[in-house]
Amino acid sequence: MLLSNYLFFVDRCEEALKFYEACGLGKIVEIQRHGENEIPVKSETMLGKIMHARFEGDGVAFYASDNDDAEPMRGSAHHLAMDDKHSLDRMFSDLGSGGVVTTALGMQPWGDYYGKLTDRFGVQWMLNYHYSPQI
């Protein structure tokens, strides 16, 4: 069993997935478009937009598509448990470009280095590094 998120965009799915590639999260491994290979199109505005995409990286797997009836994303976040603080800092900066930081990176009361943001596409990300002080 594998639990994966499915992200719904109105019409910016491809732009978002290319942004996530540029951030180093992984790559697009499958794309099917509205209107290709006899896939029906319910409106001309969706023609050529992503009907279904699969995105994968090291420890990352999710799906995404464009839907002209998509609701704004809320109530869910991608959580990235990272094993390197410097990589977390870079990923947080990259994902946050053009977005909004909702919890600044820093040591948290539970003892981990953590930050939360909403990227420029409305997707929430929580990045966490389990801090283990040297003894």
Side-chain angles (χ1 to χ4, degrees):
M1 184 180 303
L2 173 66
L3 173 66
S4 296
N5 280 1
Y6 204 113
L7 303 178
F8 294 102
F9 300 89
V10 175
D11 63 359
R12 296 178 70 193
C13 182
E14 189 162 10
E15 181 184 353
L17 295 178
K18 287 181 178 180
F19 173 72
Y20 301 144
E21 281 183 330
C23 288
L25 281 171
K27 63 183 180 175
I28 303 164
V29 296
E30 177 186 0
I31 289 183
Q32 297 174 15
R33 296 183 184 279
H34 292 280
E36 75 178 9
N37 299 322
E38 300 183 36
I39 295 172
V41 179
K42 69 179 186 177
S43 72
E44 287 300 310
T45 60
M46 297 309 295
L47 186 63
K49 299 293 183 181
I50 295 179
M51 189 213 61
H52 175 76
R54 185 168 44 130
F55 189 95
E56 294 180 357
D58 186 22
V60 174
F62 63 88
Y63 301 88
S65 68
D66 286 312
N67 293 276
D68 55 5
D69 62 351
E71 296 182 22
M73 292 181 217
R74 59 183 182 264
S76 181
H78 282 308
H79 179 268
L80 296 175
M82 310 217 26
D83 59 4
D84 178 77
K85 182 180 176 292
H86 298 293
S87 295
L88 185 149
D89 287 338
R90 182 193 52 77
M91 183 70 67
F92 194 84
S93 175
D94 290 349
L95 286 170
S97 176
V100 176
V101 172
T102 52
T103 302
L105 278 175
M107 293 302 295
Q108 302 299 323
W110 59 88
D112 287 354
Y113 185 71
Y114 168 89
K116 183 178 175 197
L117 61 88
T118 301
D119 71 24
R120 65 177 81 167
F121 303 99
V123 177
Q124 294 183 82
W125 296 88
M126 301 164 65
L127 283 75
N128 193 82
Y129 169 70
H130 179 68
Y131 180 73
S132 297
Q134 299 298 324
I135 298 177

